[in-house]
Each structure stands twice: as C-alpha cells, then as structure tokens.
Amino acid sequence: MPSETYPPQSGVAAPEALRDLLIEMNDLKRVRSAGRTGSIAERLFAQGWGRLTGGASPDDVALDITAITLAATRLCDLDAAFLTAAGLTEEAASAVLIAGFDAVTGELDSDLRARLRARLAPGPQAAFGSLPGFVAALAQQPRAGVTCPGRARILLEPPENHAEHCLIVAAYGVCLSPFYRADPGTVFLAAMAHHFHNAAMPDAGFTGEMLLGDHLGPIMATTTAWALAELDEPLRTQVERARAVLPDDATGEGRAFHAADCIDRVLQIAQHLRGASTTMGMVLDEWELVHAGPVKGFHDRVLADMRIP
C-alpha cells in the first residue's frame, strides 16, 4: 500500500550516490543483440508484464525484474538463458549474474541490495501469462522527443519507445524507493503502467497536450481504459491502485515515481549530448579503444603512420 506523506529526513530531494548507476542503467534502452528483437529494456518490459499476467505478485516481479536489470547493466545479454544454453550450470550462471550485479550496486540501500541479490540465485522458472496487446503497442510507439509549446520539436535519433521508458522508470523507482520510504512493488507497477494511454495515443509531447486543451483528460482516460480492459482481475485492480500515486508527490511512492520519471527523461537526452561531445582523444586515452595487448605497439604505429586520428 502507498506510504503516508512525509518529507525525506535529510531535506535532500534525491540520493546523489545513485547518479552513476542510473546513468549506466539508462543505456539498456539502447543495447541490442543478434537474434533478439528490441532493446534489453524493451524485452524486460515484456518479461515483467508476462510475469504479472502469469500470476506473480507485483512485489515479486518488481524485485525480480530490477535484479535482472541491474545485472544486465554490465553483462548486457549475457543473461541466464544464454549462459545456461552455452553450457553453464544454473549455479555457475547465477554466480556470473551476481558478479555483474555486485559490480554496479555498491551504492544501493543495503537492505534492498540484499533482497535484489537473492533474486539472482537459482530457483524455479517463473510462470508467464499471455502478453496484453498494449505491451507490443508501447514498444512500437516512439516518444516525442523534446517539445515545448510555441517551439519546433527537437528530434534525437533513434528515439526511445514507451516500453523502454516505462521499464527504466520502474527499475529506477525500485532503486530509489528506500530513500523515499516507498513500497517498491507499488512504485514498480505504477511506472510499468504510467503510459497506458500511449498504447493507442500517438505521442505529440507537451506541445500536443497543450494544443488538445480540455480534450486531453477525456482522451487519456479513454485510451487508458482500453489498456486496463486487457487485464484480468485481480491484476487490473492492482494496477489501478498503483496508478493512484501518479498524479502528485504527496506520498513516498509518488515521490519515488516522479523522481525516477524525471531522471530518466533528462538522462535520455543527456546520452545524446554526451555522445556528441565525446572526442577521439577521450576514446583513445580514457576508454583505451586501442587497448593493451601483444600488438598494441604495432596498432599505435599503424595509426601514427596513417595519421589517424
């Protein structure tokens, strides 16, 4: 259930210690692999909804999917399915996933970290239900980009889709939940469902919403109802209760969600700007594009003789 209203004890609005982790997690919206459709974030969005429709509780799904997301932050698609298919035992695959998880989660709340880490241990396969139509629709629906009333939009290619955005906001929300003393299952489910309207409603951004004026609320209510109608009970009621935290920041769950949503929206744009400002010197010197090894000296001479860069 949503928590009661409170201000964070410190008076600080967000935990800066998680900044680097959230930046790195954001790239899961852009990581893809051969033979797999969509980004890791898009596929985890579908996996989360498959577990929910399969009967798993929102609390369990929140912890499971967030743990997998955190492990994938460094391991990408070296996931349990691949590792076991490649011959690792479940125990060995679990150890690899935990190593990836440990590599990025040092700043997480210790209690939450322990709960998430335990989810990567070997265990029975989760049941999966049928995917509602809104899952594929949100994966096909691009987000609007940067829009502002009275100004031309700024389009940054490739655009993210709504499934990717919802998954990352949901995982962020779980990671942020201890800071706001929020229930992680509620935050996760609210985030996974917060763009239900965009399964049918094209995204024209803030500009489009302002131009719709008084029509915006009824249209969003109608298109949200279409998505909700695809869910059976008791999941439909669980989703409706979780979505009740979306309108404001009066609860811990509302704060955790809105912090996650805001951070993701800004980091999505920041990664485009970061790529555009990266120099060859940074790539060669700091990221060691031509990295140490038995032929590095030869590589360096080749680049120097070719005057590259």
Side-chain angles (χ1 to χ4, degrees):
M1 295 294 293
S3 66
E4 296 181 358
T5 304
Y6 77 97
Q9 291 290 334
S10 64
V12 176
E16 185 181 3
L18 294 183
R19 176 182 183 274
D20 290 346
L21 171 61
L22 302 187
I23 290 172
E24 192 170 353
M25 288 172 68
N26 203 265
D27 282 337
L28 294 180
K29 293 188 283 187
R30 293 169 284 278
V31 178
R32 292 169 170 77
S33 298
R36 305 193 188 195
T37 301
S39 68
I40 290 176
E42 180 181 322
R43 284 182 269 118
L44 286 175
F45 180 75
Q47 187 174 335
W49 278 109
R51 293 191 182 193
L52 287 164
T53 61
S57 73
D59 290 342
D60 283 337
V61 177
L63 295 176
D64 286 343
I65 296 299
T66 302
I68 294 169
T69 302
L70 288 163
T73 298
R74 290 283 169 88
L75 289 167
C76 298
D77 270 324
L78 298 178
D79 57 11
F82 168 78
L83 294 171
T84 53
L88 273 64
T89 65
E90 288 188 1
E91 290 73 17
S94 172
V96 172
L97 297 177
I98 289 172
F101 176 92
D102 288 346
V104 298
T105 55
E107 297 296 337
L108 278 184
D109 172 83
S110 59
D111 290 340
L112 176 63
R113 185 177 186 273
R115 294 173 67 195
L116 292 169
R117 196 175 191 270
R119 296 289 170 149
L120 298 174
Q125 294 292 320
F128 281 81
S130 59
L131 289 180
F134 63 72
V135 173
L138 288 169
Q140 294 165 6
Q141 189 76 274
R143 284 173 58 74
V146 182
T147 70
C148 179
R151 296 176 179 271
R153 75 180 59 239
I154 300 173
L155 288 175
L156 298 170
E157 296 289 341
E160 64 178 326
N161 63 52
H162 280 81
E164 293 166 332
H165 168 67
C166 288
L167 184 281
I168 293 298
V169 172
Y172 280 4
V174 172
C175 293
L176 292 166
S177 60
F179 180 82
Y180 299 103
R181 284 179 274 167
D183 174 65
T186 299
V187 178
F188 182 89
L189 193 57
M192 290 283 279
H194 80 284
H195 273 284
F196 266 7
H197 58 286
N198 285 119
M201 181 181 178
D203 189 356
F206 182 38
T207 298
E209 293 175 354
M210 293 299 98
L211 290 172
L212 282 171
D214 292 341
H215 301 300
L216 175 63
I219 289 174
M220 288 182 63
T222 296
T223 51
T224 296
W226 291 345
L228 283 168
E230 297 183 46
L231 299 175
D232 295 329
E233 294 293 357
L235 181 56
R236 184 188 305 174
T237 295
Q238 291 171 332
V239 169
E240 289 177 320
R241 287 175 178 168
R243 282 176 50 89
V245 309
L246 296 178
D248 54 50
D249 62 356
T251 62
E253 288 72 26
R255 288 172 183 260
F257 164 76
H258 284 290
D261 184 52
C262 173
I263 291 167
D264 179 66
R265 282 188 285 134
V266 174
L267 288 183
Q268 172 65 22
I269 306 305
Q271 67 87 22
H272 285 281
L273 303 179
R274 187 169 68 249
S277 63
T278 300
T279 66
M280 186 58 71
M282 292 165 61
V283 170
L284 289 173
D285 298 336
E286 298 177 34
W287 276 271
E288 300 184 67
L289 178 64
V290 182
H291 52 76
V295 294
K296 185 176 188 306
F298 176 67
H299 287 167
D300 289 342
R301 293 197 301 275
V302 167
L303 293 174
D305 289 346
M306 293 294 293
R307 291 188 291 171
I308 300 173

